[in-house]
Amino acid sequence: MKVLVIGGGAREHALCRSLSLDPDVSALYCAPGNAGIAEVAELYPVDALDGAAVAALATELGAGLVVVGPEAPLVAGVADAVRAVGIPVFGPSAEAALLEGSKAFAKDVMAAAGVPTARSYVCTTPEEVDEALDAFGAPYVVKDDGLAAGKGVVVTADLAAARAHALGCDRVVIEEFLDGPEVSLFAITDGVTVLPLQPAQDFKRALDGDEGPNTGGMGAYSPLPWADPKLVDEVMASVLQPTVDELRRRGTPFSGLLYAGLAITSRGVRVIEFNARFGDPETQVVLARLRTPLASVLLGAATGTLHTEPPLNWREDAAVTVVIASHNYPETPRTGDPIEGLAEVAAEDAPEAYVLHAGTRREGDAVVSAGGRVLSVTATGSDLAQARERAYKAVGRIRLDGSQHRTDIAAKAAEGR
């Protein structure tokens, strides 16, 4: 099978790495990719938001499967354009991807499906914003209704900050604050069958101790030793399957990757948000633990044959990923800085630790930063403590001027807290 992956971040590098290890994959392409993906896949330039261009490239390459990584192309209908030329594609239609593209749409689906989530108001005027903020009180949870690259959510006790964020959005969802730890649970689905992956936890805040602004994610780990062993079964029954069934009932079946962001509250599991694609950086740790070859599972979702796939096989190992971000992230990041130490990690730490590229590009013989989140340093180990130690050892070899990373990824979980 020839596989084309669309995107150019660390999530796509993780997908390409897994696909490159799959004996069923005869050729692997990525568009547009990055400097790290170029080591495992053949890169092609493409506007990832241009469905016609992606479909034409897939046709030209003779791809037997297209995997759409990021959310923006899905919401723009890229998967629809590829399906229209008869090529199997892993990723939902534009209509189904509204589950991520509109927080208000997701709330409506959850209400119809009986999925437990936070109480919320959809607001379009300053008067509605003020009423909603007053109704829920602090801490305030304010979400831009549309896509915002993981930075559209503000959780704050500062009323002025909450109001300012809300008024900066065309349409905003204001909801009650959910207490308790957060969990990310992915599921692969063909619109009928739902195949859950292993849960992970990511770290959204920029700074240690969950301080600082929200980001796209600064690190992640899996498994979750503190989680109830029945968590996946519970979420399957109360969240994932009902959501897939409801979307199919509406005539907009969801096939691809359904991502549930969950809060484990004192009143039970509640959905914080849905995404319509693999999460970044959770994908990096979840795929590090997946033993089952990836291509046939993704193809099963794309072709409606997921029910014929055997159960997924998981490694016992734990995995930790630490994001190295550029200077000033998540504000306007500095780019163009040379990255050193990549060869040292490959020589000294592989295969237990490796670097997945996010915002990088090649300039001559050098690899330089090209985005806010630059690298995801990922490691496996017999437990979280060992995986964490290996990840941070590899992080210590990377040199990028002005870069930043959190030092506490998976620290509490590794210590049994």
PDB file of all heavy atoms in Angstrom, residues 363-382:
ATOM      1  N   GLU A 363      17.745  24.059   6.019  1.00  0.00           N
ATOM      2  CA  GLU A 363      18.433  25.134   5.287  1.00  0.00           C
ATOM      3  C   GLU A 363      19.838  24.653   5.000  1.00  0.00           C
ATOM      4  O   GLU A 363      20.696  24.638   5.899  1.00  0.00           O
ATOM      5  CB  GLU A 363      18.465  26.425   6.109  1.00  0.00           C
ATOM      6  CG  GLU A 363      17.143  27.171   6.133  1.00  0.00           C
ATOM      7  CD  GLU A 363      17.253  28.540   6.782  1.00  0.00           C
ATOM      8  OE1 GLU A 363      18.374  28.892   7.237  1.00  0.00           O
ATOM      9  OE2 GLU A 363      16.242  29.254   6.845  1.00  0.00           O
ATOM     10  N   GLY A 364      20.073  24.192   3.772  1.00  0.00           N
ATOM     11  CA  GLY A 364      21.370  23.599   3.440  1.00  0.00           C
ATOM     12  C   GLY A 364      21.580  22.344   4.260  1.00  0.00           C
ATOM     13  O   GLY A 364      20.751  21.444   4.254  1.00  0.00           O
ATOM     14  N   ASP A 365      22.680  22.302   5.001  1.00  0.00           N
ATOM     15  CA  ASP A 365      22.968  21.141   5.847  1.00  0.00           C
ATOM     16  C   ASP A 365      22.370  21.279   7.248  1.00  0.00           C
ATOM     17  O   ASP A 365      22.453  20.349   8.048  1.00  0.00           O
ATOM     18  CB  ASP A 365      24.490  20.943   5.969  1.00  0.00           C
ATOM     19  CG  ASP A 365      25.113  20.537   4.648  1.00  0.00           C
ATOM     20  OD1 ASP A 365      24.381  19.961   3.820  1.00  0.00           O
ATOM     21  OD2 ASP A 365      26.307  20.807   4.436  1.00  0.00           O
ATOM     22  N   ALA A 366      21.790  22.440   7.543  1.00  0.00           N
ATOM     23  CA  ALA A 366      21.294  22.708   8.895  1.00  0.00           C
ATOM     24  C   ALA A 366      19.788  22.504   8.988  1.00  0.00           C
ATOM     25  O   ALA A 366      19.051  22.688   8.015  1.00  0.00           O
ATOM     26  CB  ALA A 366      21.641  24.136   9.306  1.00  0.00           C
ATOM     27  N   VAL A 367      19.326  22.097  10.178  1.00  0.00           N
ATOM     28  CA  VAL A 367      17.901  22.078  10.500  1.00  0.00           C
ATOM     29  C   VAL A 367      17.627  23.273  11.396  1.00  0.00           C
ATOM     30  O   VAL A 367      18.320  23.483  12.400  1.00  0.00           O
ATOM     31  CB  VAL A 367      17.503  20.768  11.203  1.00  0.00           C
ATOM     32  CG1 VAL A 367      16.044  20.812  11.636  1.00  0.00           C
ATOM     33  CG2 VAL A 367      17.746  19.570  10.290  1.00  0.00           C
ATOM     34  N   VAL A 368      16.616  24.079  11.035  1.00  0.00           N
ATOM     35  CA  VAL A 368      16.322  25.295  11.802  1.00  0.00           C
ATOM     36  C   VAL A 368      14.865  25.273  12.257  1.00  0.00           C
ATOM     37  O   VAL A 368      14.023  24.545  11.719  1.00  0.00           O
ATOM     38  CB  VAL A 368      16.600  26.571  10.976  1.00  0.00           C
ATOM     39  CG1 VAL A 368      18.047  26.601  10.508  1.00  0.00           C
ATOM     40  CG2 VAL A 368      15.644  26.691   9.797  1.00  0.00           C
ATOM     41  N   SER A 369      14.575  26.092  13.275  1.00  0.00           N
ATOM     42  CA  SER A 369      13.208  26.174  13.798  1.00  0.00           C
ATOM     43  C   SER A 369      12.316  26.902  12.797  1.00  0.00           C
ATOM     44  O   SER A 369      12.745  27.833  12.115  1.00  0.00           O
ATOM     45  CB  SER A 369      13.205  26.896  15.145  1.00  0.00           C
ATOM     46  OG  SER A 369      13.711  28.213  15.009  1.00  0.00           O
ATOM     47  N   ALA A 370      11.057  26.458  12.723  1.00  0.00           N
ATOM     48  CA  ALA A 370      10.133  27.046  11.748  1.00  0.00           C
ATOM     49  C   ALA A 370       8.726  27.164  12.319  1.00  0.00           C
ATOM     50  O   ALA A 370       7.751  27.223  11.577  1.00  0.00           O
ATOM     51  CB  ALA A 370      10.113  26.206  10.470  1.00  0.00           C
ATOM     52  N   GLY A 371       8.619  27.197  13.642  1.00  0.00           N
ATOM     53  CA  GLY A 371       7.298  27.283  14.259  1.00  0.00           C
ATOM     54  C   GLY A 371       7.409  27.456  15.754  1.00  0.00           C
ATOM     55  O   GLY A 371       8.516  27.601  16.295  1.00  0.00           O
ATOM     56  N   GLY A 372       6.262  27.429  16.427  1.00  0.00           N
ATOM     57  CA  GLY A 372       6.239  27.613  17.879  1.00  0.00           C
ATOM     58  C   GLY A 372       6.689  26.381  18.629  1.00  0.00           C
ATOM     59  O   GLY A 372       7.636  26.416  19.423  1.00  0.00           O
ATOM     60  N   ARG A 373       6.006  25.263  18.387  1.00  0.00           N
ATOM     61  CA  ARG A 373       6.463  23.995  18.948  1.00  0.00           C
ATOM     62  C   ARG A 373       7.407  23.380  17.926  1.00  0.00           C
ATOM     63  O   ARG A 373       7.006  23.109  16.789  1.00  0.00           O
ATOM     64  CB  ARG A 373       5.276  23.083  19.254  1.00  0.00           C
ATOM     65  CG  ARG A 373       4.437  23.610  20.411  1.00  0.00           C
ATOM     66  CD  ARG A 373       3.343  22.644  20.813  1.00  0.00           C
ATOM     67  NE  ARG A 373       2.356  22.463  19.757  1.00  0.00           N
ATOM     68  CZ  ARG A 373       1.388  21.546  19.788  1.00  0.00           C
ATOM     69  NH1 ARG A 373       1.296  20.728  20.824  1.00  0.00           N
ATOM     70  NH2 ARG A 373       0.519  21.448  18.810  1.00  0.00           N
ATOM     71  N   VAL A 374       8.639  23.149  18.318  1.00  0.00           N
ATOM     72  CA  VAL A 374       9.685  22.800  17.360  1.00  0.00           C
ATOM     73  C   VAL A 374       9.935  21.299  17.311  1.00  0.00           C
ATOM     74  O   VAL A 374      10.002  20.700  16.234  1.00  0.00           O
ATOM     75  CB  VAL A 374      10.993  23.553  17.691  1.00  0.00           C
ATOM     76  CG1 VAL A 374      12.083  23.230  16.673  1.00  0.00           C
ATOM     77  CG2 VAL A 374      10.738  25.063  17.709  1.00  0.00           C
ATOM     78  N   LEU A 375      10.063  20.661  18.476  1.00  0.00           N
ATOM     79  CA  LEU A 375      10.386  19.236  18.546  1.00  0.00           C
ATOM     80  C   LEU A 375       9.571  18.564  19.644  1.00  0.00           C
ATOM     81  O   LEU A 375       9.215  19.206  20.636  1.00  0.00           O
ATOM     82  CB  LEU A 375      11.876  19.030  18.859  1.00  0.00           C
ATOM     83  CG  LEU A 375      12.907  19.682  17.921  1.00  0.00           C
ATOM     84  CD1 LEU A 375      14.295  19.608  18.543  1.00  0.00           C
ATOM     85  CD2 LEU A 375      12.896  19.002  16.552  1.00  0.00           C
ATOM     86  N   SER A 376       9.293  17.280  19.451  1.00  0.00           N
ATOM     87  CA  SER A 376       8.727  16.444  20.517  1.00  0.00           C
ATOM     88  C   SER A 376       9.726  15.330  20.800  1.00  0.00           C
ATOM     89  O   SER A 376       9.888  14.423  19.979  1.00  0.00           O
ATOM     90  CB  SER A 376       7.397  15.820  20.080  1.00  0.00           C
ATOM     91  OG  SER A 376       6.348  16.750  20.106  1.00  0.00           O
ATOM     92  N   VAL A 377      10.407  15.419  21.933  1.00  0.00           N
ATOM     93  CA  VAL A 377      11.375  14.389  22.302  1.00  0.00           C
ATOM     94  C   VAL A 377      10.611  13.289  23.036  1.00  0.00           C
ATOM     95  O   VAL A 377      10.006  13.526  24.077  1.00  0.00           O
ATOM     96  CB  VAL A 377      12.494  14.969  23.177  1.00  0.00           C
ATOM     97  CG1 VAL A 377      13.482  13.877  23.559  1.00  0.00           C
ATOM     98  CG2 VAL A 377      13.205  16.101  22.433  1.00  0.00           C
ATOM     99  N   THR A 378      10.616  12.089  22.467  1.00  0.00           N
ATOM    100  CA  THR A 378       9.770  10.998  22.937  1.00  0.00           C
ATOM    101  C   THR A 378      10.629   9.822  23.377  1.00  0.00           C
ATOM    102  O   THR A 378      11.630   9.507  22.727  1.00  0.00           O
ATOM    103  CB  THR A 378       8.811  10.556  21.811  1.00  0.00           C
ATOM    104  OG1 THR A 378       8.066  11.695  21.377  1.00  0.00           O
ATOM    105  CG2 THR A 378       7.864   9.472  22.276  1.00  0.00           C
ATOM    106  N   ALA A 379      10.245   9.195  24.489  1.00  0.00           N
ATOM    107  CA  ALA A 379      11.009   8.049  24.990  1.00  0.00           C
ATOM    108  C   ALA A 379      10.063   7.025  25.594  1.00  0.00           C
ATOM    109  O   ALA A 379       8.989   7.360  26.098  1.00  0.00           O
ATOM    110  CB  ALA A 379      12.036   8.485  26.032  1.00  0.00           C
ATOM    111  N   THR A 380      10.481   5.761  25.548  1.00  0.00           N
ATOM    112  CA  THR A 380       9.750   4.675  26.196  1.00  0.00           C
ATOM    113  C   THR A 380      10.612   4.072  27.297  1.00  0.00           C
ATOM    114  O   THR A 380      11.836   4.235  27.312  1.00  0.00           O
ATOM    115  CB  THR A 380       9.371   3.583  25.184  1.00  0.00           C
ATOM    116  OG1 THR A 380      10.564   3.124  24.535  1.00  0.00           O
ATOM    117  CG2 THR A 380       8.414   4.119  24.135  1.00  0.00           C
ATOM    118  N   GLY A 381       9.963   3.387  28.215  1.00  0.00           N
ATOM    119  CA  GLY A 381      10.675   2.736  29.306  1.00  0.00           C
ATOM    120  C   GLY A 381       9.770   1.721  29.976  1.00  0.00           C
ATOM    121  O   GLY A 381       8.573   1.656  29.689  1.00  0.00           O
ATOM    122  N   SER A 382      10.334   0.964  30.892  1.00  0.00           N
ATOM    123  CA  SER A 382       9.547  -0.068  31.572  1.00  0.00           C
ATOM    124  C   SER A 382       8.449   0.539  32.434  1.00  0.00           C
ATOM    125  O   SER A 382       7.439  -0.092  32.707  1.00  0.00           O
ATOM    126  CB  SER A 382      10.456  -0.949  32.423  1.00  0.00           C
ATOM    127  OG  SER A 382      11.138  -0.147  33.381  1.00  0.00           O
TER     128      SER A 382
END
